[in-house]
């Protein structure tokens, strides 16, 4: 049994890891305030970004669904790994040697261990890549060459060759210490009565990687005439490979997709290669399945597909011109409303796929095809018009009825007006008849992230601050400053703030936790200490305060932090002054000693207020 990782190592790995780098592999992050980054939440569907990351604090929080925590919590929640595996993965990323307690054990090596499955896939990829140069891999090299891919291209995409053998890969991986159970769990071998045998044999092999670049599976293309298997054979569903969530090439394309605000969806591995080599470096593809809702969730996070900049984001679908391509376009349109970005279709004039188009017309032809994209709505309307006999009254009426749901689903009123005119022209129908069909119930059901409710078990703060109450807003912002900017605040000012009575009871609980931990304010893990101090039910609130975006404070963050806290202190001083003034007015004029003490206290308050204004 594996030993427990030493606590000091856990803290050291977290301290050395930039949480923004880890989350940035999954989510497109943009500036969201002082020291804060923002993006679309990976834990629930949303159109407006409510997912905040604060690298300086080392935490994230979604103000939509309530998910939050540190970098370990992110990996555990999103990748479904154990806490130990999350620590081991980050330690491996930075090259940190972990130490284990309780008998000196090491990392877990069970068959279901994600790290072991990834290691097996990585070893298999190296094996396949080396075998592409072997004499028996000539069919694979010929296949690549005939499609315009040289050795450099194969190396860039990690293409390899699986020898026509029942157990060559199995023996190779067994020699590296992997058990048959692990190879089965990774999907690299199949099971039969006498044991396991290689799943991929005599095929060209592409490594399929997740968004972080880790190889999680393979796609293999049939080459030999005596191979009776399917044209393409993929890794089966495993603990690390979920085909409904995997997009081939996303590891290579994610930076340009995020930077350019465009994603290009193609249909196969060679199409992705052709596009990238032609300069369309935003190309990705599904792996043996139709483009669906889970793919969209993954893509939207990388694309940064959110409502405030939707006009600058686009998704371009490329399809073959045959019937299968047209059906794929229809399926893509069914998911169109899941995007905020503008959706387009790009089809070569002669119906060629990107790989064949590059062979025929060169790199420029592929680029031109993508640049000449047309809106997905227009493509679907033209397709509907072409499928009906518009020479007959019945055919024209059927076309109008078929196009009405598409027209009704267009969100922008001005665009819908234009498409109604276009469709009337395409079908030869009167515009009033098209409008009548649209208004008669042509709308298709609402779909997509906007209509998806938050998970029923999503945690929520016990009592949110009343946004109309200036005092509660100031309390909340002061707590954010104390948690996020302790170095700029200083112990003396913080000690004064925690003496202020808070109106919001939830804020008061967090304030009390801060008061208890004030001596450790300057130490690493400040937020973790506050989290350990509050009841578990208040943890989401603390996390939200530690991650929430602060208003832009210019370059002088320290001055901003002090001004927020001083404002809260000043309000408390004014409250005290009002109480003392009222008490002084009610005091018997003959009680000189009490009156003097009240006047001294009032003078002290005035001096403190002057000091605050002078700083």
């Amino acid at each position: 049994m594996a030993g427990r990782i030493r606590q000091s190592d856990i803290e050291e790995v977290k301290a050395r890891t930039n949480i923004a780098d880890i989350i940035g592999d999954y989510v497109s992050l943009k500036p969201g305030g002082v020291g804060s980054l923002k993006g679309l939440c990976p834990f629930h569907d949303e159109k407006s970004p409510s997912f905040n990351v604060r690298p300086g604090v080392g935490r994230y929080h979604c103000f939509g669904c309530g998910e939050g925590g540190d970098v370990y919590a992110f990996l555990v929640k999103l990748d479904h790994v154990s806490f130990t595996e999350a620590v081991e993965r980050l330690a491996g990323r930075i090259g940190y040697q972990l130490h284990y307690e309780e008998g000196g054990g090491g990392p877990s090596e069970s068959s279901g261990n994600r790290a072991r499955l990834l290691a097996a896939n990585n070893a298999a990829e190296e094996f396949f890549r080396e075998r592409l140069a072997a004499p028996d891999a000539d069919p694979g090299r010929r296949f690549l060459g005939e499609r315009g891919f040289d050795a450099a291209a194969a190396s860039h995409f990690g293409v390899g060759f699986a020898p026509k053998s029942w157990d060559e890969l199995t023996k190779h991986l067994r020699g590296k210490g992997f058990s048959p159970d692990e190879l089965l769990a990774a999907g690299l071998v199949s099971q039969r009565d006498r044991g396991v045998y290689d799943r991929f044999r005599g095929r060209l092999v592409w490594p399929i990687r997740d968004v972080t670049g880790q190889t999680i599976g393979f796609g293999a293309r049939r080459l030999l005439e005596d191979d009776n298997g399917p044209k393409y054979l993929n890794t089966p569903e495993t603990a690390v490979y979920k085909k409904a969530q995997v997009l081939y090439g996303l590891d290579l394309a994610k930076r340009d997709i995020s930077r350019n605000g465009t994603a290009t969806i193609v249909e196969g591995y060679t199409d992705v290669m052709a596009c990238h080599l032609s300069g369309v470096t935003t190309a990705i593809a599904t792996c043996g399945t139709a483009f669906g809702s889970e793919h969209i969730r993954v893509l939207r996070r990388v694309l940064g597909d959110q409502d405030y900049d939707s006009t600058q984001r686009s998704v371009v679908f490329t399809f073959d011109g045959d019937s299968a391509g047209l059906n794929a376009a229809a399926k893509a349109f069914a998911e169109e409303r899941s995007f905020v970005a503008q959706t387009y279709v790009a089809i070569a004039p002669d119906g060629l796929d990107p790989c064949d188009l590059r062979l025929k017309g060169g790199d420029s032809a592929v680029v031109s095809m993508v640049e000449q994209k047309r809106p997905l709505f227009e493509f679907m309307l033209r397709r509907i018009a072409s499928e009906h006999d518009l020479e007959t009254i019945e055919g024209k009426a059927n076309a109008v009825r078929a196009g009405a749901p598409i027209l009704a689903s267009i969100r922008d009123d001005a665009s819908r007006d234009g498409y109604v005119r276009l469709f009337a022209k395409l079908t030869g129908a009167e515009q009033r008849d098209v409008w009548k069909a649209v208004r008669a119930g042509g709308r298709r059901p609402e779909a997509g992230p906007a209509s998806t409710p938050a998970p029923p078990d999503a945690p929520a703060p016990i009592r949110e601050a009343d946004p109309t109450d200036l005092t509660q807003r100031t309390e909340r912002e002061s707590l954010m400053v104390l948690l996020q900017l302790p170095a700029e605040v200083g112990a003396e000012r913080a000690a004064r703030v925690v003496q202020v009575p808070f109106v919001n009871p939830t804020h008061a609980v967090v304030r009390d936790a801060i008061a208890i931990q004030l001596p450790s304010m300057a130490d690493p893990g400040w937020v973790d200490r506050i989290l350990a101090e509050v009841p578990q039910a208040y943890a989401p609130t603390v996390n939200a305060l530690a991650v929430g975006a602060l208003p832009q404070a210019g370059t002088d963050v320290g001055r901003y932090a002090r001004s927020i806290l001083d404002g809260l202190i000043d309000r408390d001083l004014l409250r005290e002054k009002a109480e003392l003034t009222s008490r002084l007015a009610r005091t018997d004029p003959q009680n000189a000693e009490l009156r003097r003490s009240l006047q001294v206290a009032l003078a002290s308050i005035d001096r403190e207020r002057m000091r605050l204004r002078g700083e």
Side-chain angles (χ1 to χ4, degrees), residues 124-155:
E125 179 184 349
E126 292 179 357
F127 172 83
F128 291 141
R129 293 179 68 159
E130 291 177 359
R131 287 307 304 263
L132 185 61
D136 62 337
D138 182 65
R141 294 191 297 273
R142 187 166 60 250
F143 176 93
L144 292 171
E146 290 171 350
R147 284 155 181 79
F149 304 126
D150 57 17
S155 176

Side-chain angles (χ1 to χ4, degrees), residues 31 77 109 218 238 287 315 334 336 353 368 402 443 459 478 494 540 556 568 600:
K77 177 70 176 180
E109 295 189 355
F218 298 91
T238 72
C287 301
V315 178
E336 182 274 336
D353 59 38
S368 178
R443 290 191 180 277
S478 296
D556 196 342
L568 186 67
V600 169

Side-chain angles (χ1 to χ4, degrees), residues 403-419:
I406 294 176
L407 293 165
S409 68
I410 300 174
R411 295 181 288 263
D412 181 66
D413 291 340
S415 297
R416 188 188 307 118
D417 292 343
Y419 281 118

Side-chain angles (χ1 to χ4, degrees), residues 371-417:
E371 289 178 345
Q372 294 176 21
K373 61 186 183 294
R374 64 176 63 173
L376 184 53
F377 286 113
E378 177 186 341
F379 175 83
M380 292 302 298
L381 292 173
R382 289 184 181 275
R383 181 188 175 189
I384 288 172
S386 69
E387 292 176 340
H388 291 82
D389 183 1
L390 302 178
E391 298 299 321
T392 67
I393 295 176
E394 291 79 6
K396 188 177 298 185
N398 288 335
V400 170
R401 281 192 290 269
I406 294 176
L407 293 165
S409 68
I410 300 174
R411 295 181 288 263
D412 181 66
D413 291 340
S415 297
R416 188 188 307 118
D417 292 343

Side-chain angles (χ1 to χ4, degrees), residues 228-421:
N228 297 319
K231 183 176 180 180
Y232 281 96
L233 179 65
N234 285 4
T235 294
E237 293 279 310
T238 72
V240 298
Y241 178 79
K242 310 293 183 185
K243 66 180 180 180
Q245 303 171 5
V246 175
L247 289 165
Y248 174 72
L250 187 58
D251 59 308
L252 298 174
K254 65 180 180 182
R255 298 299 181 192
D256 285 345
I257 288 176
S258 178
R259 184 184 301 113
N260 301 335
T262 297
T264 307
I265 315 298
V266 299
E267 293 194 298
Y269 307 123
T270 57
D271 291 334
V272 170
M273 294 175 69
C275 283
H276 278 253
L277 295 174
S278 298
V280 182
T281 54
T282 58
I284 53 179
T286 60
C287 301
T289 184
F291 189 78
S293 58
E294 289 298 309
H295 295 121
I296 291 174
R297 289 189 62 181
V298 173
L299 178 57
R300 289 186 72 238
R301 296 197 299 264
V302 176
L303 184 62
D305 180 28
Q306 47 216 29
D307 54 6
Y308 63 79
D309 65 351
S310 61
T311 58
Q312 301 176 17
R313 305 273 150 177
S314 61
V315 178
V316 182
F317 293 94
T318 69
F319 302 109
D320 297 349
D322 57 17
S323 59
L326 295 177
N327 289 334
K331 290 178 181 178
F333 179 74
E335 301 285 354
E336 182 274 336
R337 285 184 69 86
S338 296
F339 287 106
V340 176
Q342 305 297 307
T343 51
Y344 299 88
V345 171
I347 296 180
D350 46 8
L352 298 175
D353 59 38
C355 182
D356 290 337
L357 180 61
R358 178 171 177 260
L359 282 175
K360 182 178 180 180
D363 294 346
S364 61
V366 177
V367 174
S368 178
M369 177 193 69
V370 176
E371 289 178 345
Q372 294 176 21
K373 61 186 183 294
R374 64 176 63 173
L376 184 53
F377 286 113
E378 177 186 341
F379 175 83
M380 292 302 298
L381 292 173
R382 289 184 181 275
R383 181 188 175 189
I384 288 172
S386 69
E387 292 176 340
H388 291 82
D389 183 1
L390 302 178
E391 298 299 321
T392 67
I393 295 176
E394 291 79 6
K396 188 177 298 185
N398 288 335
V400 170
R401 281 192 290 269
I406 294 176
L407 293 165
S409 68
I410 300 174
R411 295 181 288 263
D412 181 66
D413 291 340
S415 297
R416 188 188 307 118
D417 292 343
Y419 281 118
V420 166
R421 291 193 296 270

Side-chain angles (χ1 to χ4, degrees), residues 558-577:
R559 182 176 180 181
Y560 159 76
R562 292 188 294 273
S563 70
I564 294 298
L565 300 185
D566 288 351
L568 186 67
I569 295 170
D570 190 55
R571 281 193 180 84
D572 187 50
L573 291 172
L574 286 172
R575 178 191 58 78
E576 289 184 18
K577 182 175 182 179

Side-chain angles (χ1 to χ4, degrees), residues 45-284:
D45 286 328
E46 61 178 2
K47 289 193 174 181
S48 297
S50 57
F51 182 81
N52 283 47
V53 180
R54 186 163 288 278
V57 179
R59 305 192 74 82
Y60 69 91
H61 184 82
C62 176
F63 291 89
C65 69
E67 287 290 346
D70 60 12
V71 67
Y72 296 137
F74 181 84
L75 293 177
V76 168
K77 177 70 176 180
L78 193 62
D79 278 351
H80 306 290
V81 298
S82 68
F83 178 81
T84 297
E85 288 172 326
V87 178
E88 290 172 348
R89 185 191 300 187
L90 293 182
R93 182 180 176 116
I94 64 174
Y96 184 88
Q97 179 65 47
L98 295 172
H99 302 85
Y100 295 81
E101 299 174 343
E102 296 183 359
S108 170
E109 295 189 355
S110 65
S111 62
N113 184 285
R114 177 184 173 91
R116 291 291 291 172
L117 301 189
L118 294 173
N121 279 322
N122 185 64
E125 179 184 349
E126 292 179 357
F127 172 83
F128 291 141
R129 293 179 68 159
E130 291 177 359
R131 287 307 304 263
L132 185 61
D136 62 337
D138 182 65
R141 294 191 297 273
R142 187 166 60 250
F143 176 93
L144 292 171
E146 290 171 350
R147 284 155 181 79
F149 304 126
D150 57 17
S155 176
H156 179 69
F157 291 94
V159 185
F161 179 77
K164 188 181 179 182
S165 167
W166 284 97
D167 59 2
E168 192 167 339
L169 174 65
T170 301
K171 289 179 178 178
H172 176 78
L173 296 180
R174 289 294 305 276
K176 288 185 172 293
F178 295 98
S179 70
D181 285 344
E182 287 174 332
L183 300 184
L184 269 172
L188 293 168
V189 299
S190 298
Q191 179 80 57
R192 61 179 178 180
D193 293 341
R194 297 183 179 179
V196 299
Y197 60 95
D198 293 356
R199 177 177 177 84
F200 307 113
R201 305 181 305 280
R203 288 176 173 250
L204 201 62
V205 180
W206 283 263
I208 299 171
R209 305 182 178 111
D210 65 12
V211 70
T212 69
Q214 298 186 95
T215 299
I216 57 176
F218 298 91
R221 211 279 189 186
R222 183 180 63 206
L223 298 172
L224 307 176
E225 293 183 1
D226 60 353
D227 186 340
N228 297 319
K231 183 176 180 180
Y232 281 96
L233 179 65
N234 285 4
T235 294
E237 293 279 310
T238 72
V240 298
Y241 178 79
K242 310 293 183 185
K243 66 180 180 180
Q245 303 171 5
V246 175
L247 289 165
Y248 174 72
L250 187 58
D251 59 308
L252 298 174
K254 65 180 180 182
R255 298 299 181 192
D256 285 345
I257 288 176
S258 178
R259 184 184 301 113
N260 301 335
T262 297
T264 307
I265 315 298
V266 299
E267 293 194 298
Y269 307 123
T270 57
D271 291 334
V272 170
M273 294 175 69
C275 283
H276 278 253
L277 295 174
S278 298
V280 182
T281 54
T282 58
I284 53 179

